Amino acid sequence: MKPFMASLISLLLPLLLAATSAHAAEATPSDVYAEAVRIDHEIEALQRHFKAVGQATVELKTGDLKPQHTWAKSYTLLLKIGKLRRKLGLTYIQPATVEPMQEMPPNQPWGMTQRILAEIAILKHSLDIPGQPPAAVRVSGKRPIDAYNKLHQLSGEMELLAGAVTSSEVYGEVKRLDEDINAILRHQRIFEKAVPPPRRENLRPKDSLQAVFALMTEIQRLQRVHGLPTTDFKGFDMGDKTTPDDVFGMVALALVELQRVKARIGMTHAITPAAPYEENKTPTDVVQLLGYVTDKLRAIGTK
């Protein structure tokens, strides 16, 4: 019986793994949205535990988004969970990143929702908060923008627990862009002569956001050079209502868009490094660094 069972397991295991992989590959934006609803339930449990007051107010975004953009929003939510851990005196956990790919399948943002649920479960265990998330309720007809906005709302709810996004955190994420662009320059053997632009004092988050849009223009120039489609992000311009979190989200979008360029030029194993811990940064620092990395990017693909 034992040899028979071992033989049967060895026969069935590849089939089970294949079925699991096939299920993951079939994930849709509706599946991601359904998992985001489960995350909503878990964040509410955390808010009840900490007796959080107030209600998050976020501006919904518009646009024809793709799975990589939903993945980016999931990444920022994981960063905020890590921030809450640090605030509580727990060990900070760096979110997982992925290798560059030209087009991200929906199973990748679905996987990020599972990481979020797992991190919240670990946090609840540490805090002795009982309860499990509800089973997913099937929904249909959702687009990536719907999943993005649901996660965007949850990201705002998490700020009630972890604290508002700061310019220092935005600066740390821009440093990741800087590392990526330096890696592209080395890969392309390009010597650039960019220098940090002069500092402009008394800037606001809306100035930081416009600096990210200027960077995105250069990223999309490179995407067109390499035959990649681009996305219109006009629906992300918040004008005078811009918050540091809007800038945070837009930097995350710039990062995922740059990954597509990296994949196209053969840098498929060049994973973006983690953000450094930064303190006491202001929009002036953010705008200056964004101007510097944008100037570096202009040296790529211009010859």
Side-chain angles (χ1 to χ4, degrees), residues 216-294:
M216 185 69 82
T217 296
E218 286 302 309
I219 293 173
Q220 293 185 334
R221 173 186 64 80
L222 279 179
Q223 288 175 338
R224 287 190 289 270
V225 165
H226 293 286
L228 293 167
T230 61
T231 299
D232 186 347
F233 291 109
K234 284 195 300 245
F236 285 73
D237 190 348
M238 296 292 104
D240 289 335
K241 297 183 292 184
T242 301
T243 67
D245 189 48
D246 292 321
V247 186
F248 200 54
M250 198 66 205
V251 170
L253 293 174
L255 277 161
V256 296
E257 288 299 315
L258 193 58
Q259 302 316 298
R260 300 174 61 222
V261 174
K262 287 165 61 181
R264 190 71 156 194
I265 63 177
M267 299 176 64
T268 53
H269 302 300
I271 297 177
T272 308
Y277 181 79
E278 299 285 349
E279 292 182 318
N280 304 318
K281 300 300 182 183
T282 67
T284 289
D285 299 304
V286 172
V287 170
Q288 184 181 40
L289 181 56
L290 280 166
Y292 183 37
V293 299
T294 300

Side-chain angles (χ1 to χ4, degrees), residues 140-264:
S140 62
K142 298 299 183 182
R143 301 165 298 157
I145 186 64
D146 300 313
Y148 184 98
N149 276 325
K150 180 61 179 176
L151 290 163
H152 183 47
Q153 174 233 322
L154 300 181
S155 185
E157 297 291 343
M158 184 57 69
E159 285 194 47
L160 296 177
L161 298 168
V165 169
T166 67
S167 291
S168 294
E169 290 160 342
V170 175
Y171 189 92
E173 291 300 307
V174 177
K175 290 289 288 183
R176 301 179 71 217
L177 279 165
D178 189 31
E179 291 292 340
D180 259 358
I181 292 168
N182 288 339
I184 293 172
L185 289 166
R186 290 192 297 270
H187 181 266
Q188 301 287 79
R189 297 182 180 179
I190 295 172
F191 178 76
E192 50 79 30
K193 301 178 181 178
V195 295
R199 288 174 62 85
R200 296 161 50 204
E201 300 299 335
N202 302 316
L203 298 183
R204 298 166 57 191
K206 71 172 184 178
D207 301 302
S208 299
L209 186 61
Q210 292 307 311
V212 185
F213 279 127
L215 174 69
M216 185 69 82
T217 296
E218 286 302 309
I219 293 173
Q220 293 185 334
R221 173 186 64 80
L222 279 179
Q223 288 175 338
R224 287 190 289 270
V225 165
H226 293 286
L228 293 167
T230 61
T231 299
D232 186 347
F233 291 109
K234 284 195 300 245
F236 285 73
D237 190 348
M238 296 292 104
D240 289 335
K241 297 183 292 184
T242 301
T243 67
D245 189 48
D246 292 321
V247 186
F248 200 54
M250 198 66 205
V251 170
L253 293 174
L255 277 161
V256 296
E257 288 299 315
L258 193 58
Q259 302 316 298
R260 300 174 61 222
V261 174
K262 287 165 61 181
R264 190 71 156 194

Side-chain angles (χ1 to χ4, degrees), residues 109-129:
W110 183 89
M112 287 294 274
T113 64
Q114 304 311 294
R115 293 183 180 95
I116 292 169
L117 286 166
E119 288 299 333
I120 294 178
I122 294 168
L123 182 57
K124 286 172 63 182
H125 178 77
S126 300
L127 300 171
D128 198 24
I129 300 174

